């Protein structure tokens, strides 16, 4: 058997190739893996930053909604003291959102307050203004004007409305806005708007940016750039690059990809769309910056590969010289053979790189967790502070109502006494002004009732109403309530019809408060019925309940108001057309007092113009109802 022979030099090069080729294959695979891994990690980091930026924007908007809710409760709005509200709102927006401004728009579209201009500056009617022009020009780029639905929406739904980037017709600059309804009597009375400048969001993006090469942008639902962390003023109102160029609607909530910036730079990007307002938080990094570490690894690997190839070639050549030449010389004298053993190839590189990657990911996840924890703690503190301010504001309002009612009752008593003395005076009876005395007495009585309602509202808010239950005949309380409303019933020429049980119906309750419950219902029926109306008051026992019904054929109640009329300061009908002068406290007090007696009250009406019926049900103990007068 013969063997194919070859020179030692060829065998050394074959040995070098057997070691070098696996090294080339494994090294190339390692570089490709590093390339893909670097890209994956960079995109994951971009996605996390996009999500973090979106959460930061939503957090700021949520805090501003709380501030606007506090402004919406300002008594200056109720008094239409727009100068005072302009000053307060201007100071608030200067402290909270420098560069922004606050507006107030009435249901007719009239802009009554705008803190971007001095108070007294003529303001337009936005409904007429916005009907003429749909967009304006900003630095050579079209930018839409506000749509009137931005103001009609809160008035119709009672919910906030968010805009995209638009051109402020009064401030003459790009803004984004949040409009919230100003609720009065359970209905929107005005629209309160907060307009943000693009500079505010640019500063927020700069704060959130991590790295000088990172590009962050805030894009509205129409694809317009609201702000950017780099050269924001240059890009505001420009169309965003693909895929957000037309609009963000219909896109997934989050995503990643590759694109070109408006300057033509290739970038990797990630985005996160807000479910609150449809805005997109866009984060991008130049492709060259993302892949720079992978390029460094590749160049290092090429350098190592070339160095290894040169070193292997030199070593093979030297071995050939050291072995082949002496062997060739010896072969001429005596034939001999030598066995050669190749070097052991290196190993362990891939595992070390995997460990480095795992440690890097663990450190990055820990940083993200700590940052999220800090943000949650800050949000909790801010929410707690806002809640504390709201509670303090409610307490101050209740204290003010109580103090005002007490202070107004003091001068009202002597005025009432003076009117009564004048009516008894023989001089006043013959005076030409004698016809004014009944009117004065009615108005003073009306004011006294309003103050009593305010005091009761204050007592409800502070929980100071106490019951003094005793056994009583319900009919006595009904007679007292009707007698208390006698002047009103007589002046309105109403017909009062009582349907009381023949035998006394005994109930364990607070007599004064039971009389007040029936009196408020009779007064409500007399007030909201046309002259000459029929008012029926009935008392009966139904099962284990004592039931009082007050029914009239007056104005009636709309179906959607049957529950809300029992709310504090609520009244049936449109707030701007009411002429009865009540505060909307009487029915709220009825429900509260009935609830203290473990009972319930409900309103029944077929609608406006069909009268109404109020039904009070109070539980009776087995021993509470009996025949005969109370012992």
């Amino acid at each position: 058997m013969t063997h194919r022979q070859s020179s030692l030099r060829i065998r050394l090069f074959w040995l070098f190739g057997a070691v070098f080729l696996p090294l080339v294959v494994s090294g190339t695979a390692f570089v490709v893996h590093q390339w893909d891994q670097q890209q994956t990690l960079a995109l994951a980091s971009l996605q996390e930053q996009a999500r973090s930026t979106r959460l930061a924007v939503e957090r700021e908007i949520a805090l501003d909604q709380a501030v606007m809710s506090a402004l919406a409760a300002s008594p200056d709005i109720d008094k239409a003291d727009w100068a005072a509200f302009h000053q307060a709102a201007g100071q608030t927006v200067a402290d909270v959102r420098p560069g922004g401004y606050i507006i107030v728009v009435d249901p007719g579209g009239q802009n009554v307050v705008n803190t971007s201009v001095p108070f007294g500056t003529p303001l337009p009617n936005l409904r007429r203004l916005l009907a003429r022009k749909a967009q304006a020009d900003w630095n050579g780029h079209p930018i839409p004007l506000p749509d009137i639905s931005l103001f009609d929406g809160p008035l119709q739904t009672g919910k906030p409305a968010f805009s995209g980037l638009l051109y402020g017709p009064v401030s003459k600059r790009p803004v984004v806005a949040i409009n919230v309804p100003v609720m009065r009597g359970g209905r929107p009375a005005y629209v309160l708007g907060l307009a943000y400048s693009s500079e505010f969001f640019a500063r927020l993006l700069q704060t959130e940016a991590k790295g000088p090469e990172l590009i962050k942008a805030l894009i509205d639902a129409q694809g317009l750039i609201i702000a950017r962390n780099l050269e924001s003023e240059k890009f505001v109102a420009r169309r965003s690059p693909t895929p957000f160029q037309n609009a963000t609607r219909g896109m997934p909530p989050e995503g990643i990809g590759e694109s070109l910036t408006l300057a033509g730079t290739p970038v990797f990007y990630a985005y996160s769309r807000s479910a609150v307002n449809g805005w997109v938080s866009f984060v991008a990094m130049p492709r060259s910056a993302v892949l720079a570490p992978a390029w460094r690894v590749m160049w290092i690997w090429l350098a190592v590969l070339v160095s290894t190839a040169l070193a292997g070639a030199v070593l093979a050549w030297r071995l050939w010289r050291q072995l082949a030449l002496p062997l060739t010389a010896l072969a001429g004298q005596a034939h001999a053979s030598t066995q050669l053993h190749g070097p052991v190839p290196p190993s362990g590189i891939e595992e070390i790189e995997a460990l480095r990657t795992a440690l890097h990911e663990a450190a990055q996840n820990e940083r993200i967790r700590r940052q999220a924890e800090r943000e949650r703690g800050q949000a909790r503190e801010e929410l707690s502070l806002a809640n504390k301010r709201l509670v303090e504001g409610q307490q101050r309002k209740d204290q003010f109502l109580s103090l005002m009612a007490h202070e107004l009752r003091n001068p009202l008593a002597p005025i009432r006494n003076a009117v009564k003395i004048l009516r008894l005076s023989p001089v006043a009876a013959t005076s030409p002004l004698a016809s004014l005395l009944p009117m004065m007495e009615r108005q003073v009585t009306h004011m006294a009732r309003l103050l009593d309602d305010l005091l009761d509202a204050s007592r409800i808010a502070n929980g100071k109403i106490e019951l003094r239950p005793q056994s009583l005949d319900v009919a006595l309380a009904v007679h007292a309530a009707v007698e208390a409303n006698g002047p009103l019933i007589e002046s309105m020429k109403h017909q009062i019809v009582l349907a009381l049980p023949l035998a006394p119906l005994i109930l364990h309750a607070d007599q004064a408060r039971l009389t007040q419950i029936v009196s408020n219902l009779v007064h409500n029926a007399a007030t909201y019925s046309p002259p000459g109306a029929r008012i029926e008051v009935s008392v009966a026992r139904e099962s284990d309940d004592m039931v009082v019904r007050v029914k009239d054929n007056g104005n009636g109640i709309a179906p959607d108001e049957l529950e809300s009329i029992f709310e504090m300061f609520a009244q049936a009908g449109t707030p701007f057309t009411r002429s009865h002068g009540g505060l909307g406290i009487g029915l709220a007090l009825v429900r509260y007092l009935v609830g203290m007696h473990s009972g319930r009250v409900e309103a029944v009406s077929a609608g406006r113009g069909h009268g109404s019926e109020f039904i009070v049900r109070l539980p009776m103990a087995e021993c509470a109802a009996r025949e005969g007068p109370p012992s």
Side-chain angles (χ1 to χ4, degrees), residues 468-473 506-511 623-624 626 630-631:
R468 297 178 180 177
Q470 61 180 358
S471 295
L472 57 93
D473 186 354
I506 308 304
L507 182 70
H508 193 67
D510 187 313
Q511 182 171 358
C623 61
R626 63 182 185 272
S631 58

Side-chain angles (χ1 to χ4, degrees), residues 31-72:
V31 170
V32 171
H33 172 74
Q34 287 292 102
W35 191 284
D36 294 338
Q37 190 175 46
Q38 180 64 33
Q39 180 174 325
T40 301
L41 290 174
L43 290 174
S45 176
L46 291 177
Q47 183 67 84
E48 187 62 31
Q49 293 195 56
R51 189 179 299 119
S52 175
T53 302
R54 171 182 62 78
L55 292 174
V57 171
E58 291 179 349
R59 182 177 63 250
E60 295 296 329
I61 290 175
L63 293 175
D64 289 342
Q65 285 183 270
V67 172
M68 294 175 70
S69 296
L71 281 176

Side-chain angles (χ1 to χ4, degrees), residues 415-429:
I415 294 175
R416 192 171 188 177
N417 292 335
V419 172
K420 290 183 178 180
I421 293 173
L422 286 175
R423 292 199 61 166
L424 298 175
S425 172
V427 176

Side-chain angles (χ1 to χ4, degrees), residues 349-361:
I349 297 175
E350 188 172 350
E351 288 75 8
I352 295 175
E353 186 61 28
L355 177 60
R356 183 192 66 80
T357 301
L359 292 176
H360 174 73
E361 291 177 349

Side-chain angles (χ1 to χ4, degrees), residues 477-594:
V478 173
H479 282 296
V482 173
E483 183 179 352
N485 289 280
L488 175 61
I489 294 173
E490 182 179 353
S491 65
M492 295 292 290
K493 295 182 176 54
H494 291 323
Q495 179 185 2
I496 188 79
V497 178
L498 301 181
L500 305 177
L502 297 178
L505 186 60
I506 308 304
L507 182 70
H508 193 67
D510 187 313
Q511 182 171 358
R513 294 304 180 183
L514 182 58
T515 301
Q516 188 176 10
I517 290 171
V518 180
S519 178
N520 281 6
L521 294 179
V522 173
H523 184 274
N524 185 76
T527 301
Y528 290 93
S529 296
R534 176 185 175 90
I535 301 174
E536 301 176 4
V537 182
S538 64
V539 177
R541 178 172 182 173
E542 297 180 5
S543 187
D544 293 332
D545 293 337
M546 186 280 295
V547 181
V548 178
R549 301 175 184 268
V550 179
K551 184 177 181 181
D552 62 71
N553 56 357
N555 296 345
I557 306 170
D560 59 346
E561 295 177 346
L562 289 175
E563 289 296 329
S564 62
I565 58 172
F566 290 105
E567 300 294 333
M568 189 67 72
F569 306 115
Q571 291 179 319
T574 305
F576 302 107
T577 61
R578 292 197 300 260
S579 60
H580 301 294
L583 296 177
I585 297 175
L587 292 181
L589 183 60
V590 166
R591 183 173 67 174
Y592 183 80
L593 294 177
V594 169

Side-chain angles (χ1 to χ4, degrees), residues 61-93:
I61 290 175
L63 293 175
D64 289 342
Q65 285 183 270
V67 172
M68 294 175 70
S69 296
L71 281 176
S74 172
D76 294 334
I77 297 179
D78 299 327
K79 298 182 293 186
D81 188 354
W82 301 121
F85 184 81
H86 184 281
Q87 181 179 2
Q91 184 61 46
T92 299
V93 77

